[in-house]
Amino acid sequence: MRIFTFALVCLTVLQSTFAAESNLTTPSSSQIILPTNFKPPQVFKNTNLVRSVNLEKGYVKETVNVVIENIDTNPQDEYYVPFDDNVVGNVGGFEVRDKKDTTRPVFLSELVEYDTYSPTQFYRITFPEPLSPSAQLTLTISYHLLSSLSPLPATIKQQDKQYLQHTFSTYAPSAYLTQKQKTKIKFPGVDIPEYTGEPERQGSTFTYGPYDNIPAGSESLASVRYEFTKPIIHATSLERDIEISHWGGNLATEERYQLTNKGASLSNHFSRVTWQSTQYYNPPVTAIKALNVPLKIGSLNPYFTDDIGNVSTSRYRSNLREANLELKPRYPIFGGWSFPFRIGWDANLKNFLRNVKGDQYVLKVPFLEGPKMGEGISYEKITLRVILPEGATNVKFQTSVPIVADSVSQHRTFMDTLGRTTLTLTAVNVIDESRDADLLVSYEYPLTAGLRKPITIFLAVMAVFTTAWIVGQVDTSIGKKS
């Protein structure tokens, strides 16, 4: 399982380029194989490093601001960041920017492989232009970690507080000598009963360090245990379909979730009486009680179903300023419980589609919508299908979300001949902050392709009437005509 996860993440390009020529004929992912004895060349040093770890949500967010210096005699353009092999499969959203020049595009980042069974794997960062000898560059490296928090204790009573444990190194992962560094940890509250090391504590923030002259690859393990009486919402799978109808002027969206709560399990049986009694004063709970789904203004006809059928405990509020779908599952989802469901809605296509020139169209839609919760949501795997009109060709896409696989296929529906052109994208280790990311899809849709369906319907109707007329002319009598 570890090898499969690593191999899947190895296919990810951690940042898609926004070049106009980006298309499906150009690989969206790559795998760089390095020699088995590879070690990052010691051509850099970290003169100052500040690492921030945010534990305010149900996943871990890390941001590293580091000043690097080229200590080699030649210009250098490759910088490596190491991760343990049991962690690298949970890394998502790896992004590198120039901290002093935020207008520059993100740097190219790739997960490289040199030995599947090595305890350390590397992300390789490539600078737009080589860094001269003795020159410095300030980087902002950000990423998030899924499945790195564990409830302790693993089982609690229905009304108990929940505590999470996070184990980490007080030294930031680095393949180079670090002259000075410190690690800051932000907690959701001040209830932190257990921790190791000697951090400086200021309210809900811990600071480890500063540390001086830390060699490359050094670790200093520490752990913290803190209160988090909220659900840890995790979607093991999200299948998201966006279907376009030029003739109907409609954009139909459907999302199918396999949702689970990764928080502490109940030590006793669930008590409906206890649950109902707490609804009057609404205390913090570890169960998922409701989900809030902000939609685009003007969304229409929302629905909410599960394996049983329609779920009536939903509410849709829409006006000129907002559109909000409030979902309430059939039962509270405690730790270890799951809830598969689907939601969908329609929207006016003209708000998302533009005719650029002649037969060329550009579609701009959010890569991810779905619930928006204060405790955050993580997605293990997202499969996004954009179902274009039948006859659409020359499909291209652009997005800032890391894509591990893409393909174009045919999707057959009612009255189709060859099937609708379908773009399928797959992403892993995604968090709800990707709601801000857009997906741009360009394609060509000639007039002849647009007329295909009405002509097909016309011919089908004519065939039915012709067949009925021919059958009506057949003499089915038994006796001879007089």
Side-chain angles (χ1 to χ4, degrees):
M1 184 66 183
R2 175 177 68 84
I3 299 175
F4 172 78
T5 303
F6 174 76
L8 183 62
V9 178
C10 270
L11 298 174
T12 307
V13 172
L14 271 301
Q15 184 62 47
S16 298
T17 61
F18 281 84
E21 64 272 18
S22 172
N23 55 55
L24 290 175
T25 61
T26 302
S28 65
S29 58
S30 62
Q31 182 178 1
I32 296 89
I33 307 298
L34 299 175
T36 56
N37 60 349
F38 170 79
K39 289 185 179 180
Q42 298 300 298
V43 294
F44 292 103
K45 70 175 180 180
N46 304 324
T47 60
N48 191 20
L49 184 150
V50 178
R51 174 191 182 199
S52 299
V53 181
N54 192 307
L55 302 178
E56 294 180 301
K57 293 191 175 184
Y59 48 80
V60 180
K61 282 194 62 180
E62 295 198 12
T63 302
V64 178
N65 293 313
V66 55
V67 180
I68 66 172
E69 180 179 337
N70 182 2
I71 58 176
D72 196 50
T73 56
N74 299 315
Q76 301 293 331
D77 63 352
E78 292 183 355
Y79 182 90
Y80 291 87
V81 178
F83 286 97
D84 290 341
D85 69 324
N86 59 346
V87 173
V88 70
N90 298 324
V91 175
F94 192 93
E95 184 179 274
V96 184
R97 291 182 178 273
D98 184 343
K99 181 176 174 59
K100 293 186 177 181
D101 188 0
T102 57
T103 61
R104 298 180 67 180
V106 296
F107 296 165
L108 175 64
S109 306
E110 298 169 300
L111 181 62
V112 295
E113 178 186 355
Y114 68 100
D115 184 357
T116 305
Y117 297 95
S118 171
T120 304
Q121 307 296 338
F122 295 93
Y123 275 90
R124 185 177 68 181
I125 303 168
T126 304
F127 304 145
E129 54 273 337
L131 190 64
S132 303
S134 301
Q136 293 186 342
L137 179 65
T138 304
L139 302 178
T140 295
I141 305 172
S142 59
Y143 53 89
H144 52 261
L145 301 173
L146 274 60
S147 303
S148 59
L149 302 175
S150 57
L152 187 66
T155 60
I156 58 175
K157 294 182 179 179
Q158 191 167 320
Q159 293 180 288
D160 285 352
K161 291 182 178 181
Q162 175 180 260
Y163 290 87
L164 301 182
Q165 184 180 43
H166 178 51
T167 302
F168 60 99
S169 173
T170 58
Y171 300 153
S174 177
Y176 310 97
L177 169 70
T178 304
Q179 289 184 324
K180 185 177 182 180
Q181 70 166 296
K182 60 181 177 181
T183 295
K184 295 182 178 181
I185 302 179
K186 176 64 177 177
F187 297 94
V190 296
D191 188 357
I192 311 167
E194 297 178 14
Y195 56 90
T196 58
E198 298 180 354
E200 177 185 346
R201 181 168 182 173
Q202 294 180 343
S204 59
T205 302
F206 280 10
T207 301
Y208 287 87
Y211 304 110
D212 297 325
N213 296 321
I214 304 301
S218 298
E219 285 189 342
S220 176
L221 292 181
S223 65
V224 291
R225 180 172 172 264
Y226 60 97
E227 183 197 351
F228 190 86
T229 310
K230 301 176 184 177
I232 303 178
I233 308 175
H234 180 74
T236 57
S237 173
L238 167 59
E239 297 177 351
R240 173 171 160 83
D241 291 350
I242 300 174
E243 186 171 347
I244 298 169
S245 173
H246 277 240
W247 279 99
N250 186 63
L251 186 141
T253 302
E254 181 176 277
E255 297 182 339
R256 298 176 293 277
Y257 290 83
Q258 295 291 334
L259 200 69
T260 185
N261 185 350
K262 302 187 74 173
S265 303
L266 293 179
S267 58
N268 298 320
H269 293 294
F270 169 67
S271 171
R272 174 65 68 175
V273 175
T274 302
W275 176 256
Q276 288 299 123
S277 65
T278 59
Q279 300 308 298
Y280 294 100
Y281 57 95
N282 196 28
V285 293
T286 60
I288 304 173
K289 298 191 296 183
L291 297 168
N292 182 49
V293 184
L295 301 179
K296 294 293 184 181
I297 298 175
S299 299
L300 304 169
N301 309 319
Y303 59 88
F304 174 32
T305 64
D306 60 8
D307 292 342
I308 299 175
N310 181 61
V311 183
S312 60
T313 51
S314 63
R315 179 188 177 192
Y316 181 59
R317 294 183 291 106
S318 177
N319 53 48
L320 296 177
R321 294 176 297 176
E322 64 174 358
N324 194 53
L325 179 60
E326 299 174 357
L327 311 176
K328 187 175 182 181
R330 296 182 186 273
Y331 51 86
I333 307 170
F334 282 92
W337 295 12
S338 299
F339 180 60
F341 68 95
R342 69 177 62 195
I343 57 176
W345 60 90
D346 295 327
N348 194 328
L349 183 60
K350 70 178 183 181
N351 296 329
F352 302 89
L353 186 68
R354 293 291 181 269
N355 181 215
V356 180
K357 180 182 179 182
D359 299 334
Q360 297 180 352
Y361 293 85
V362 175
L363 176 72
K364 181 180 179 181
V365 293
F367 184 89
L368 176 66
E369 291 184 85
K372 184 177 182 180
M373 308 294 290
E375 54 269 27
I377 304 177
S378 58
Y379 299 86
E380 185 173 329
K381 180 181 179 181
I382 297 178
T383 303
L384 172 61
R385 295 195 309 168
V386 181
I387 304 173
L388 301 172
E390 187 176 24
T393 59
N394 195 22
V395 181
K396 305 176 184 179
F397 74 92
Q398 300 173 6
T399 182
S400 60
V401 177
I403 302 299
V404 299
D406 60 70
S407 64
V408 171
S409 59
Q410 302 299 319
H411 175 71
R412 291 177 173 83
T413 57
F414 181 68
M415 296 302 291
D416 285 339
T417 53
L418 301 177
R420 300 188 181 188
T421 305
T422 302
L423 169 66
T424 303
L425 305 176
T426 303
V428 296
N429 295 343
V430 181
I431 59 175
D432 52 351
E433 291 185 0
S434 294
R435 291 175 54 90
D436 298 330
D438 288 324
L439 171 65
L440 299 178
V441 180
S442 64
Y443 60 94
E444 294 181 3
Y445 186 55
L447 179 61
T448 54
L451 294 175
R452 180 181 299 178
K453 176 154 288 189
I455 292 175
T456 301
I457 296 175
F458 173 76
L459 293 177
V461 172
M462 291 300 297
V464 171
F465 278 104
T466 302
T467 303
W469 179 80
I470 294 174
V471 171
Q473 299 302 309
V474 176
D475 183 9
T476 58
S477 60
I478 298 176
K480 296 182 178 179
K481 293 183 178 180
S482 56

